[in-house]
mmCIF file of all heavy atoms in Angstrom:
data_model
loop_
_atom_site.group_PDB
_atom_site.id
_atom_site.type_symbol
_atom_site.label_atom_id
_atom_site.label_comp_id
_atom_site.label_asym_id
_atom_site.label_seq_id
_atom_site.Cartn_x
_atom_site.Cartn_y
_atom_site.Cartn_z
ATOM 1 N N ALA A 157 -8.562 10.464 -20.512
ATOM 2 C CA ALA A 157 -7.925 11.589 -21.075
ATOM 3 C C ALA A 157 -8.670 11.978 -22.326
ATOM 4 O O ALA A 157 -8.708 11.230 -23.343
ATOM 5 C CB ALA A 157 -6.472 11.204 -21.463
ATOM 6 N N ASP A 158 -9.343 13.143 -22.335
ATOM 7 C CA ASP A 158 -10.111 13.536 -23.562
ATOM 8 C C ASP A 158 -9.174 14.176 -24.551
ATOM 9 O O ASP A 158 -8.046 14.579 -24.216
ATOM 10 C CB ASP A 158 -11.196 14.520 -23.087
ATOM 11 C CG ASP A 158 -12.397 14.504 -24.040
ATOM 12 O OD1 ASP A 158 -12.243 13.916 -25.135
ATOM 13 O OD2 ASP A 158 -13.434 15.085 -23.754
ATOM 14 N N SER A 159 -9.677 14.255 -25.805
ATOM 15 C CA SER A 159 -8.823 14.708 -26.883
ATOM 16 C C SER A 159 -8.436 16.197 -26.745
ATOM 17 O O SER A 159 -7.532 16.663 -27.392
ATOM 18 C CB SER A 159 -9.473 14.419 -28.230
ATOM 19 O OG SER A 159 -10.809 14.139 -28.116
ATOM 20 N N ASP A 160 -9.195 16.980 -25.946
ATOM 21 C CA ASP A 160 -8.853 18.395 -25.777
ATOM 22 C C ASP A 160 -7.817 18.640 -24.665
ATOM 23 O O ASP A 160 -7.602 19.769 -24.278
ATOM 24 C CB ASP A 160 -10.099 19.203 -25.505
ATOM 25 C CG ASP A 160 -10.751 18.916 -24.139
ATOM 26 O OD1 ASP A 160 -10.270 17.948 -23.469
ATOM 27 O OD2 ASP A 160 -11.746 19.582 -23.808
ATOM 28 N N GLY A 161 -7.308 17.527 -24.102
ATOM 29 C CA GLY A 161 -6.285 17.688 -23.018
ATOM 30 C C GLY A 161 -6.884 17.703 -21.634
ATOM 31 O O GLY A 161 -6.113 17.795 -20.662
ATOM 32 N N SER A 162 -8.144 17.612 -21.513
ATOM 33 C CA SER A 162 -8.784 17.527 -20.178
ATOM 34 C C SER A 162 -8.790 16.079 -19.681
ATOM 35 O O SER A 162 -8.887 15.131 -20.467
ATOM 36 C CB SER A 162 -10.273 17.993 -20.227
ATOM 37 O OG SER A 162 -10.381 19.265 -20.777
ATOM 38 N N TYR A 163 -8.694 15.937 -18.359
ATOM 39 C CA TYR A 163 -8.740 14.596 -17.716
ATOM 40 C C TYR A 163 -9.951 14.579 -16.806
ATOM 41 O O TYR A 163 -10.174 15.561 -16.063
ATOM 42 C CB TYR A 163 -7.489 14.336 -16.948
ATOM 43 C CG TYR A 163 -6.266 14.145 -17.819
ATOM 44 C CD1 TYR A 163 -5.645 15.200 -18.430
ATOM 45 C CD2 TYR A 163 -5.744 12.833 -18.065
ATOM 46 C CE1 TYR A 163 -4.489 15.019 -19.185
ATOM 47 C CE2 TYR A 163 -4.649 12.668 -18.875
ATOM 48 C CZ TYR A 163 -4.003 13.791 -19.415
ATOM 49 O OH TYR A 163 -2.881 13.593 -20.218
ATOM 50 N N TYR A 164 -10.704 13.457 -16.812
ATOM 51 C CA TYR A 164 -11.821 13.325 -15.930
ATOM 52 C C TYR A 164 -11.714 12.041 -15.123
ATOM 53 O O TYR A 164 -11.349 11.022 -15.694
ATOM 54 C CB TYR A 164 -13.116 13.231 -16.784
ATOM 55 C CG TYR A 164 -13.366 14.433 -17.577
ATOM 56 C CD1 TYR A 164 -12.841 14.533 -18.874
ATOM 57 C CD2 TYR A 164 -14.130 15.500 -17.135
ATOM 58 C CE1 TYR A 164 -13.067 15.700 -19.680
ATOM 59 C CE2 TYR A 164 -14.374 16.630 -17.861
ATOM 60 C CZ TYR A 164 -13.815 16.713 -19.194
ATOM 61 O OH TYR A 164 -14.050 17.846 -19.946
ATOM 62 N N MET A 165 -12.096 12.088 -13.886
ATOM 63 C CA MET A 165 -12.175 10.857 -13.121
ATOM 64 C C MET A 165 -13.634 10.462 -12.975
ATOM 65 O O MET A 165 -14.473 11.232 -12.590
ATOM 66 C CB MET A 165 -11.548 11.010 -11.692
ATOM 67 C CG MET A 165 -11.654 9.618 -10.963
ATOM 68 S SD MET A 165 -11.113 9.662 -9.222
ATOM 69 C CE MET A 165 -9.369 9.871 -9.485
ATOM 70 N N TYR A 166 -13.900 9.197 -13.245
ATOM 71 C CA TYR A 166 -15.224 8.567 -13.049
ATOM 72 C C TYR A 166 -15.049 7.613 -11.883
ATOM 73 O O TYR A 166 -14.001 6.937 -11.781
ATOM 74 C CB TYR A 166 -15.644 7.768 -14.276
ATOM 75 C CG TYR A 166 -15.810 8.715 -15.508
ATOM 76 C CD1 TYR A 166 -14.729 9.200 -16.194
ATOM 77 C CD2 TYR A 166 -17.109 9.187 -15.822
ATOM 78 C CE1 TYR A 166 -14.909 10.093 -17.253
ATOM 79 C CE2 TYR A 166 -17.260 10.078 -16.881
ATOM 80 C CZ TYR A 166 -16.143 10.553 -17.566
ATOM 81 O OH TYR A 166 -16.312 11.431 -18.574
ATOM 82 N N PHE A 167 -15.943 7.582 -10.942
ATOM 83 C CA PHE A 167 -15.802 6.677 -9.823
ATOM 84 C C PHE A 167 -17.161 6.293 -9.200
ATOM 85 O O PHE A 167 -18.173 6.876 -9.616
ATOM 86 C CB PHE A 167 -14.848 7.297 -8.751
ATOM 87 C CG PHE A 167 -15.367 8.534 -8.117
ATOM 88 C CD1 PHE A 167 -16.059 8.552 -6.908
ATOM 89 C CD2 PHE A 167 -15.090 9.822 -8.693
ATOM 90 C CE1 PHE A 167 -16.531 9.726 -6.343
ATOM 91 C CE2 PHE A 167 -15.512 10.999 -8.070
ATOM 92 C CZ PHE A 167 -16.238 10.977 -6.903
ATOM 93 N N GLY A 168 -17.096 5.403 -8.315
ATOM 94 C CA GLY A 168 -18.331 4.976 -7.571
ATOM 95 C C GLY A 168 -18.661 3.512 -7.717
ATOM 96 O O GLY A 168 -18.346 2.930 -8.742
ATOM 97 N N GLY A 169 -19.300 2.992 -6.727
ATOM 98 C CA GLY A 169 -19.820 1.644 -6.746
ATOM 99 C C GLY A 169 -20.730 1.468 -5.546
ATOM 100 O O GLY A 169 -20.440 1.954 -4.468
ATOM 101 N N ILE A 170 -21.804 0.769 -5.769
ATOM 102 C CA ILE A 170 -22.796 0.600 -4.660
ATOM 103 C C ILE A 170 -22.466 -0.663 -3.872
ATOM 104 O O ILE A 170 -21.501 -1.337 -4.191
ATOM 105 C CB ILE A 170 -24.246 0.609 -5.167
ATOM 106 C CG1 ILE A 170 -24.503 -0.559 -6.176
ATOM 107 C CG2 ILE A 170 -24.617 1.935 -5.826
ATOM 108 C CD1 ILE A 170 -25.976 -0.699 -6.603
ATOM 109 N N TRP A 171 -23.295 -0.962 -2.864
ATOM 110 C CA TRP A 171 -23.063 -2.039 -1.902
ATOM 111 C C TRP A 171 -21.713 -1.876 -1.210
ATOM 112 O O TRP A 171 -21.511 -0.800 -0.571
ATOM 113 C CB TRP A 171 -23.170 -3.419 -2.563
ATOM 114 C CG TRP A 171 -24.503 -3.773 -3.083
ATOM 115 C CD1 TRP A 171 -25.533 -3.003 -3.487
ATOM 116 C CD2 TRP A 171 -24.978 -5.184 -3.298
ATOM 117 N NE1 TRP A 171 -26.628 -3.755 -3.892
ATOM 118 C CE2 TRP A 171 -26.282 -5.088 -3.792
ATOM 119 C CE3 TRP A 171 -24.437 -6.409 -3.054
ATOM 120 C CZ2 TRP A 171 -27.070 -6.207 -4.096
ATOM 121 C CZ3 TRP A 171 -25.200 -7.549 -3.391
ATOM 122 C CH2 TRP A 171 -26.502 -7.418 -3.912
ATOM 123 N N GLY A 172 -20.763 -2.785 -1.314
ATOM 124 C CA GLY A 172 -19.456 -2.690 -0.656
ATOM 125 C C GLY A 172 -18.690 -1.458 -1.037
ATOM 126 O O GLY A 172 -17.840 -0.995 -0.284
ATOM 127 N N GLY A 173 -19.031 -0.863 -2.184
ATOM 128 C CA GLY A 173 -18.312 0.335 -2.696
ATOM 129 C C GLY A 173 -18.781 1.621 -2.023
ATOM 130 O O GLY A 173 -18.223 2.690 -2.314
ATOM 131 N N GLN A 174 -19.893 1.551 -1.196
ATOM 132 C CA GLN A 174 -20.371 2.619 -0.347
ATOM 133 C C GLN A 174 -20.978 3.825 -1.044
ATOM 134 O O GLN A 174 -21.315 4.795 -0.371
ATOM 135 C CB GLN A 174 -19.211 3.105 0.597
ATOM 136 C CG GLN A 174 -18.603 2.008 1.444
ATOM 137 C CD GLN A 174 -17.522 2.486 2.342
ATOM 138 O OE1 GLN A 174 -16.927 3.527 2.112
ATOM 139 N NE2 GLN A 174 -17.209 1.693 3.381
ATOM 140 N N LEU A 175 -21.231 3.730 -2.360
ATOM 141 C CA LEU A 175 -21.820 4.967 -3.016
ATOM 142 C C LEU A 175 -23.185 5.285 -2.488
ATOM 143 O O LEU A 175 -23.594 6.472 -2.460
ATOM 144 C CB LEU A 175 -21.878 4.702 -4.516
ATOM 145 C CG LEU A 175 -22.383 5.819 -5.408
ATOM 146 C CD1 LEU A 175 -21.450 7.019 -5.320
ATOM 147 C CD2 LEU A 175 -22.481 5.409 -6.913
ATOM 148 N N GLN A 176 -23.932 4.291 -2.004
ATOM 149 C CA GLN A 176 -25.256 4.568 -1.491
ATOM 150 C C GLN A 176 -25.268 5.317 -0.161
ATOM 151 O O GLN A 176 -26.296 5.768 0.279
ATOM 152 C CB GLN A 176 -26.083 3.205 -1.312
ATOM 153 C CG GLN A 176 -25.587 2.274 -0.192
ATOM 154 C CD GLN A 176 -24.333 1.453 -0.557
ATOM 155 O OE1 GLN A 176 -23.747 1.648 -1.579
ATOM 156 N NE2 GLN A 176 -23.876 0.601 0.336
ATOM 157 N N LYS A 177 -24.075 5.475 0.368
ATOM 158 C CA LYS A 177 -23.969 6.278 1.600
ATOM 159 C C LYS A 177 -23.830 7.738 1.368
ATOM 160 O O LYS A 177 -23.540 8.554 2.291
ATOM 161 C CB LYS A 177 -22.738 5.761 2.445
ATOM 162 C CG LYS A 177 -22.871 4.366 2.953
ATOM 163 C CD LYS A 177 -21.666 3.965 3.787
ATOM 164 C CE LYS A 177 -21.710 2.520 4.197
ATOM 165 N NZ LYS A 177 -22.761 2.171 5.143
ATOM 166 N N TYR A 178 -23.884 8.210 0.110
ATOM 167 C CA TYR A 178 -23.651 9.581 -0.251
ATOM 168 C C TYR A 178 -24.838 10.094 -1.113
ATOM 169 O O TYR A 178 -25.385 9.353 -1.879
ATOM 170 C CB TYR A 178 -22.357 9.761 -1.073
ATOM 171 C CG TYR A 178 -21.147 9.380 -0.270
ATOM 172 C CD1 TYR A 178 -20.766 8.049 -0.097
ATOM 173 C CD2 TYR A 178 -20.387 10.337 0.329
ATOM 174 C CE1 TYR A 178 -19.660 7.683 0.631
ATOM 175 C CE2 TYR A 178 -19.285 10.061 1.082
ATOM 176 C CZ TYR A 178 -18.923 8.696 1.206
ATOM 177 O OH TYR A 178 -17.792 8.387 1.973
ATOM 178 N N ARG A 179 -25.144 11.369 -0.910
ATOM 179 C CA ARG A 179 -26.020 12.090 -1.839
ATOM 180 C C ARG A 179 -25.363 13.481 -2.011
ATOM 181 O O ARG A 179 -25.020 14.145 -1.021
ATOM 182 C CB ARG A 179 -27.447 12.290 -1.288
ATOM 183 C CG ARG A 179 -28.274 11.051 -1.230
ATOM 184 C CD ARG A 179 -28.555 10.427 -2.626
ATOM 185 N NE ARG A 179 -29.537 9.280 -2.492
ATOM 186 C CZ ARG A 179 -29.206 8.039 -2.155
ATOM 187 N NH1 ARG A 179 -27.919 7.736 -1.935
ATOM 188 N NH2 ARG A 179 -30.078 7.160 -2.011
ATOM 189 N N ASN A 180 -25.341 13.921 -3.243
ATOM 190 C CA ASN A 180 -24.720 15.267 -3.566
ATOM 191 C C ASN A 180 -23.337 15.393 -2.887
ATOM 192 O O ASN A 180 -23.065 16.424 -2.265
ATOM 193 C CB ASN A 180 -25.617 16.346 -3.102
ATOM 194 C CG ASN A 180 -26.955 16.341 -3.872
ATOM 195 O OD1 ASN A 180 -26.887 16.079 -5.089
ATOM 196 N ND2 ASN A 180 -28.021 16.535 -3.154
ATOM 197 N N ASN A 181 -22.530 14.340 -2.857
ATOM 198 C CA ASN A 181 -21.162 14.303 -2.369
ATOM 199 C C ASN A 181 -21.120 14.365 -0.848
ATOM 200 O O ASN A 181 -20.034 14.523 -0.267
ATOM 201 C CB ASN A 181 -20.359 15.434 -2.913
ATOM 202 C CG ASN A 181 -20.329 15.417 -4.433
ATOM 203 O OD1 ASN A 181 -20.088 14.359 -5.019
ATOM 204 N ND2 ASN A 181 -20.591 16.558 -5.039
ATOM 205 N N LYS A 182 -22.263 14.300 -0.134
ATOM 206 C CA LYS A 182 -22.253 14.339 1.341
ATOM 207 C C LYS A 182 -22.520 12.964 1.875
ATOM 208 O O LYS A 182 -23.411 12.266 1.408
ATOM 209 C CB LYS A 182 -23.408 15.284 1.834
ATOM 210 C CG LYS A 182 -23.244 16.708 1.412
ATOM 211 C CD LYS A 182 -22.745 17.555 2.554
ATOM 212 C CE LYS A 182 -22.305 18.943 2.204
ATOM 213 N NZ LYS A 182 -22.114 19.301 0.801
ATOM 214 N N PHE A 183 -21.729 12.568 2.917
ATOM 215 C CA PHE A 183 -21.906 11.296 3.575
ATOM 216 C C PHE A 183 -23.217 11.318 4.363
ATOM 217 O O PHE A 183 -23.478 12.231 5.192
ATOM 218 C CB PHE A 183 -20.738 11.106 4.524
ATOM 219 C CG PHE A 183 -20.662 9.741 5.138
ATOM 220 C CD1 PHE A 183 -20.370 8.661 4.350
ATOM 221 C CD2 PHE A 183 -20.895 9.607 6.513
ATOM 222 C CE1 PHE A 183 -20.269 7.344 4.895
ATOM 223 C CE2 PHE A 183 -20.810 8.263 7.089
ATOM 224 C CZ PHE A 183 -20.510 7.223 6.272
ATOM 225 N N ASP A 184 -24.060 10.344 4.093
ATOM 226 C CA ASP A 184 -25.379 10.254 4.771
ATOM 227 C C ASP A 184 -25.664 8.777 4.959
ATOM 228 O O ASP A 184 -26.358 8.169 4.160
ATOM 229 C CB ASP A 184 -26.444 10.941 3.895
ATOM 230 C CG ASP A 184 -27.830 10.861 4.516
ATOM 231 O OD1 ASP A 184 -27.906 10.596 5.734
ATOM 232 O OD2 ASP A 184 -28.825 11.133 3.794
ATOM 233 N N ASP A 185 -25.134 8.179 5.986
ATOM 234 C CA ASP A 185 -25.113 6.730 6.147
ATOM 235 C C ASP A 185 -26.470 6.232 6.720
ATOM 236 O O ASP A 185 -26.850 6.609 7.796
ATOM 237 C CB ASP A 185 -24.018 6.377 7.187
ATOM 238 C CG ASP A 185 -23.665 4.892 7.156
ATOM 239 O OD1 ASP A 185 -24.405 4.143 6.402
ATOM 240 O OD2 ASP A 185 -22.749 4.463 7.852
ATOM 241 N N LYS A 186 -27.139 5.447 5.920
ATOM 242 C CA LYS A 186 -28.499 5.010 6.310
ATOM 243 C C LYS A 186 -28.461 3.572 6.925
ATOM 244 O O LYS A 186 -29.516 2.983 7.142
ATOM 245 C CB LYS A 186 -29.397 4.990 5.121
ATOM 246 C CG LYS A 186 -29.557 6.332 4.421
ATOM 247 C CD LYS A 186 -30.587 7.161 5.116
ATOM 248 C CE LYS A 186 -30.906 8.352 4.272
ATOM 249 N NZ LYS A 186 -31.187 9.530 5.043
ATOM 250 N N GLY A 187 -27.286 2.998 7.026
ATOM 251 C CA GLY A 187 -27.220 1.712 7.629
ATOM 252 C C GLY A 187 -26.132 0.847 7.063
ATOM 253 O O GLY A 187 -25.537 1.244 6.040
ATOM 254 N N ALA A 188 -25.908 -0.318 7.641
ATOM 255 C CA ALA A 188 -24.743 -1.144 7.263
ATOM 256 C C ALA A 188 -25.059 -2.215 6.196
ATOM 257 O O ALA A 188 -24.150 -2.733 5.576
ATOM 258 C CB ALA A 188 -24.217 -1.878 8.494
ATOM 259 N N ALA A 189 -26.367 -2.522 5.950
ATOM 260 C CA ALA A 189 -26.688 -3.499 4.940
ATOM 261 C C ALA A 189 -26.325 -2.951 3.541
ATOM 262 O O ALA A 189 -26.415 -1.734 3.334
ATOM 263 C CB ALA A 189 -28.141 -3.933 4.993
ATOM 264 N N PRO A 190 -25.976 -3.770 2.590
ATOM 265 C CA PRO A 190 -25.508 -3.332 1.276
ATOM 266 C C PRO A 190 -26.527 -2.465 0.593
ATOM 267 O O PRO A 190 -26.135 -1.560 -0.189
ATOM 268 C CB PRO A 190 -25.233 -4.611 0.491
ATOM 269 C CG PRO A 190 -25.325 -5.740 1.429
ATOM 270 C CD PRO A 190 -25.878 -5.262 2.711
ATOM 271 N N THR A 191 -27.833 -2.664 0.858
ATOM 272 C CA THR A 191 -28.831 -1.958 0.119
ATOM 273 C C THR A 191 -29.395 -0.753 0.928
ATOM 274 O O THR A 191 -30.155 0.033 0.412
ATOM 275 C CB THR A 191 -30.017 -2.854 -0.262
ATOM 276 O OG1 THR A 191 -30.452 -3.515 0.862
ATOM 277 C CG2 THR A 191 -29.571 -3.863 -1.321
ATOM 278 N N ASP A 192 -28.985 -0.579 2.194
ATOM 279 C CA ASP A 192 -29.380 0.586 2.968
ATOM 280 C C ASP A 192 -28.904 1.808 2.333
ATOM 281 O O ASP A 192 -27.674 1.968 2.051
ATOM 282 C CB ASP A 192 -28.839 0.492 4.444
ATOM 283 C CG ASP A 192 -29.503 -0.576 5.244
ATOM 284 O OD1 ASP A 192 -30.532 -1.070 4.879
ATOM 285 O OD2 ASP A 192 -28.919 -0.910 6.309
#
Side-chain angles (χ1 to χ4, degrees):
D158 207 348
S159 17
D160 68 354
S162 306
Y163 291 77
Y164 299 88
M165 181 185 288
Y166 297 79
F167 63 93
I170 61 173
W171 292 26
Q174 303 181 338
L175 184 62
Q176 70 281 4
K177 296 182 186 293
Y178 295 81
R179 288 297 186 280
N180 298 319
N181 305 311
K182 297 258 167 348
F183 188 69
D184 179 16
D185 195 357
K186 302 277 191 215
T191 52
D192 287 346

